Amino acid sequence: ALTGSGIGMWDWDLVSGSASYSPLNNRMLGYDAGELGATFAEQAAKIHPDDARTMQDKVEQHLRGETASYRTEFRVLRKDGTYAWFESRGMVVEHGPKGEPRRMIGTHIDISDRKVNEQLRRDLETALRRNRDELEAMVRQQTQKLVDAADDAELGHRAKNVLLANLSQVASTMAFNLMI
């Protein structure tokens, strides 16, 4: 059922450090059975340097009993040199006589497609914001041009009225002078 759902399994013996991974877990990274290594440390070494500390912190929090389960997302190196995004979940399933964690099991899900889509969405949102800002700036600029044109038209209208008033005054004066 897990394989059919695209979920890889892992099982980590905390005492010995040995770990095992389901065949699907290996295939998601392009490895054949046994190629990933037999310890948690070998697998953890493939985690992207920017994500390794967060992943380790989440594991340690869970091992200290601060969380009911472990969950994190990280990039892990594939055999071909590219990185896959994994969502990793797990929990301690066996404790020692003093309550110390002894065994942890969990799952890996390849969420690379989701991460690509999330980045695409962020890029589109950024482009939309940029386009909206540019459009708003253009609207402000064009609005100012219209305001300036309306002001110029008003000044022209006033100048025309003054000219007509002056012409009317001159015409009246001329007519009056002709009558005298």
Side-chain angles (χ1 to χ4, degrees):
L2 290 173
T3 300
S5 300
I7 300 172
M9 291 279 304
W10 52 268
D11 187 335
W12 180 22
D13 181 328
L14 299 166
V15 177
S16 70
S18 67
S20 60
Y21 305 94
S22 68
L24 177 61
N25 194 75
N26 294 341
R27 280 195 307 272
M28 287 190 292
L29 296 173
Y31 292 96
D32 293 325
E35 282 188 298
L36 275 176
T39 67
F40 174 76
E42 289 171 298
Q43 172 93 11
K46 293 180 180 7
I47 294 173
H48 192 283
D50 293 345
D51 303 334
R53 184 74 240 156
T54 300
M55 186 278 298
Q56 290 170 351
D57 289 346
K58 299 277 185 175
V59 168
E60 289 168 10
Q61 287 171 356
H62 181 62
L63 293 177
R64 288 190 304 263
E66 296 171 10
T67 59
S69 64
Y70 152 80
R71 183 195 171 282
T72 193
E73 295 176 358
F74 54 83
R75 288 164 287 180
V76 61
L77 188 64
R78 292 180 177 126
K79 187 175 180 177
D80 68 7
T82 62
Y83 281 92
W85 273 100
F86 272 14
E87 178 181 311
S88 184
R89 294 178 185 225
M91 64 187 310
V92 173
V93 294
E94 186 179 317
H95 294 86
K98 296 179 183 174
E100 72 278 11
R102 301 193 83 165
R103 183 174 172 221
M104 192 171 170
I105 62 170
T107 60
H108 283 154
I109 300 172
D110 187 334
I111 58 169
S112 300
D113 289 342
R114 185 185 88 199
K115 288 294 192 174
V116 167
N117 289 334
E118 287 172 357
Q119 184 61 50
L120 179 59
R121 181 182 43 89
R122 283 190 298 273
D123 292 346
L124 288 171
E125 287 171 352
T126 299
L128 286 171
R129 274 192 302 279
R130 185 178 55 248
N131 288 344
R132 183 196 64 220
D133 293 346
E134 289 173 2
L135 183 58
E136 287 174 355
M138 288 172 51
V139 167
R140 281 191 301 277
Q141 184 181 27
Q142 293 303 320
T143 300
Q144 188 58 53
K145 286 180 180 180
L146 289 171
V147 168
D148 292 345
D151 289 347
D152 290 346
E154 179 63 25
L155 288 174
H157 180 69
R158 287 181 188 170
K160 177 189 78 162
N161 287 342
V162 169
L163 177 64
L164 290 175
N166 288 340
L167 286 175
S168 176
Q169 174 105 25
V170 168
S172 295
T173 304
M174 288 176 67
F176 179 74
N177 288 337
L178 287 176
M179 291 191 342
I180 307 186

